[in-house]
Amino acid sequence: MQAAVCTGAEVLEIAEKNIPSITDEDALVRVSHCGISKWDVESYLGENPQLQLPRILGHEICGTVKQLTPSQDNGISLGTKVLVNPILSCGRCIQCQAGRSNHCEDLKFIGLDLDGGFAEFVKAPIKNLQPLQNEANPEKYILAFPLSAAHHLVSRIDFRDVDHIVINGSGPVGVLAGLILKEKKNIRLDMIDTNSFRLNIARNLGLFCIDGRQSRLHEIIKERCFPGKDGPDVVIETSGNPAGLDWAIRWVRVQGQMIVGGRIPGKGSFDFTNLLEKEISLTGTLAYTQEDLDKSLSDISNLRIDYQTLITHRLPLAGVREGLRILRSVEETMKIVICMDPFK
């Protein structure tokens, strides 16, 4: 099979690889679409210490079940269209038993610890396959991955005494979190970014947007606050900008909340003293849970998400390296999808 194989920092080539062999617990999936995420960019640049090379990257995968072992009887049949959940959890540890599979004590990811979806075929545990509607366009389900991360971000908010939320970063996760929060009554939502292309997409989807390049940015945010509040109740950081944490600490009100979802290169740093003095609650997020994924699949199936607006680039398998470059350095982009053969 053809695959885009990463063998070192910024070294990725299309190569011929053996089709993966499967066990009774696996299925062989013919990849139809695979999204490119910032996580893939980090791995490609050599910034993810967890990555073991060589590796086929790509964890946002949809495809068709092409092979099962004869002894399998699990409700999945050949030809079934599926989304592949890349989060591999044991199901037995304390975290898994508590519903926190994204914190499994033996957590692994397809596309990081195991070969991923920038290939014609991928091997995945049957328990990680989510059947899709047969009539569905599989491409739109690529958005289930950032949408699940957005649902998880929102689930981490304590909504008591919250009427104003600011999201910093209008990438796919930020915009999708905004669309989720937009459905909540009595919440004023502001989206901030310096990327005018992405802000225009968010604005066209009905979100209130603020250009982060303005010199009066902090004053504008305070003017948007309700009486009696010295800042927004919640600031969600999704930009991945190292300065984003300090901005959030400055913007959020006393005893407000910071929810961090943007992956910041390295260890990052922020104004810890100001965090303490303002008594800000700081909450991190990691990936998503099965519950989040179920919500996302329902949202997409029920046409709650305008995927045509959010997917800005479609490339063939040979274009993976170009896609990584675009996501890293081109402003006029939102979601990039690698498109293989259609479902068969």
Side-chain angles (χ1 to χ4, degrees):
M1 69 174 184
Q2 293 285 299
V5 183
C6 183
T7 57
E10 300 189 57
V11 181
L12 184 144
E13 300 291 342
I14 302 299
E16 188 71 27
K17 301 285 288 184
N18 291 330
I19 294 176
S21 58
I22 62 171
T23 69
D24 288 346
E25 297 179 349
D26 303 318
L28 182 68
V29 175
R30 183 184 182 94
V31 178
S32 172
H33 297 81
C34 188
I36 299 180
S37 76
K38 290 178 68 174
W39 194 4
D40 295 313
V41 173
E42 289 176 13
S43 296
Y44 171 67
L45 295 177
E47 296 174 354
N48 193 332
Q50 187 178 341
L51 181 69
Q52 298 293 313
L53 299 174
R55 179 66 66 220
I56 301 172
L57 305 177
H59 60 278
E60 300 180 345
I61 307 164
C62 289
T64 306
V65 176
K66 297 300 290 185
Q67 184 182 351
L68 299 165
T69 65
S71 61
Q72 290 169 336
D73 182 16
N74 42 55
I76 294 286
S77 58
L78 293 177
T80 302
K81 303 173 185 178
V82 294
L83 174 146
V84 179
N85 183 354
I87 300 176
L88 306 181
S89 56
C90 71
R92 300 181 299 274
C93 69
I94 293 175
Q95 302 300 338
C96 286
Q97 290 296 311
R100 297 186 291 264
S101 57
N102 57 323
H103 293 282
C104 174
E105 294 174 5
D106 190 29
L107 186 65
K108 290 182 174 60
F109 291 89
I110 293 173
L112 182 64
D113 302 288
L114 290 83
D115 282 338
F118 294 152
E120 293 180 283
F121 296 93
V122 66
K123 178 176 76 171
I126 291 175
K127 67 178 183 178
N128 284 64
L129 303 184
Q130 304 280 149
L132 302 177
Q133 298 177 6
N134 284 331
E135 72 278 14
N137 177 355
E139 180 183 75
K140 67 183 180 181
Y141 284 96
I142 291 298
L143 291 177
F145 299 98
L147 181 57
S148 296
H151 271 297
H152 194 63
L153 275 173
V154 172
S155 75
R156 302 290 286 149
I157 299 173
D158 181 349
F159 281 96
R160 292 174 294 180
D161 192 28
V162 169
D163 52 31
H164 184 197
I165 297 175
V166 167
I167 299 176
N168 185 41
S170 60
V173 174
V175 169
L176 290 167
L179 294 177
I180 294 168
L181 290 166
K182 183 171 173 281
E183 298 300 312
K184 293 186 177 292
K185 296 180 179 179
N186 305 317
I187 295 289
R188 176 174 292 173
L189 178 70
D190 299 336
M191 175 76 64
I192 299 176
D193 206 317
T194 59
N195 185 320
S196 57
F197 178 83
R198 289 183 168 184
L199 280 182
N200 282 334
I201 289 177
R203 189 176 292 111
N204 290 336
L205 291 171
L207 300 178
F208 185 87
C209 297
I210 301 173
D211 190 332
R213 294 169 294 190
Q214 300 179 75
S215 59
R216 293 187 60 253
L217 179 60
H218 186 54
E219 289 75 12
I220 292 170
I221 293 171
K222 293 193 73 170
E223 290 167 1
R224 293 277 297 164
C225 295
F226 288 98
K229 298 284 183 74
D230 63 344
D233 304 295
V234 181
V235 176
I236 300 175
E237 160 52 37
T238 70
S239 72
N241 188 320
L245 294 178
D246 279 336
W247 296 337
I249 292 170
R250 183 185 180 199
W251 297 337
V252 74
R253 69 168 171 84
V254 169
Q255 294 186 339
Q257 304 172 57
M258 285 172 52
I259 313 294
V260 182
R263 293 177 62 87
I264 296 173
K267 295 183 178 180
S269 62
F270 60 91
D271 188 347
F272 189 71
T273 299
N274 203 10
L275 180 87
L276 292 179
E277 291 178 349
K278 292 180 72 173
E279 297 187 349
I280 298 168
S281 298
L282 175 62
T283 302
T285 65
L286 175 66
Y288 50 83
T289 65
Q290 183 63 48
E291 180 181 359
D292 300 316
L293 182 56
D294 290 341
K295 289 179 182 177
S296 299
L297 293 173
S298 175
D299 287 345
I300 294 170
S301 295
N302 293 316
L303 305 178
R304 296 193 184 102
I305 301 298
D306 181 4
Y307 75 96
Q308 293 283 10
T309 298
L310 294 174
I311 297 176
T312 54
H313 294 75
R314 296 165 176 87
L315 298 170
L317 178 59
V320 169
R321 187 164 53 185
E322 175 65 5
L324 293 165
R325 184 197 66 80
I326 292 171
L327 188 57
R328 177 187 177 190
S329 59
V330 176
E331 181 172 295
E332 294 81 12
T333 184
M334 181 64 82
K335 190 65 191 172
I336 302 173
V337 179
I338 299 301
C339 303
M340 316 288 188
D341 291 339
F343 282 116
K344 294 181 178 180

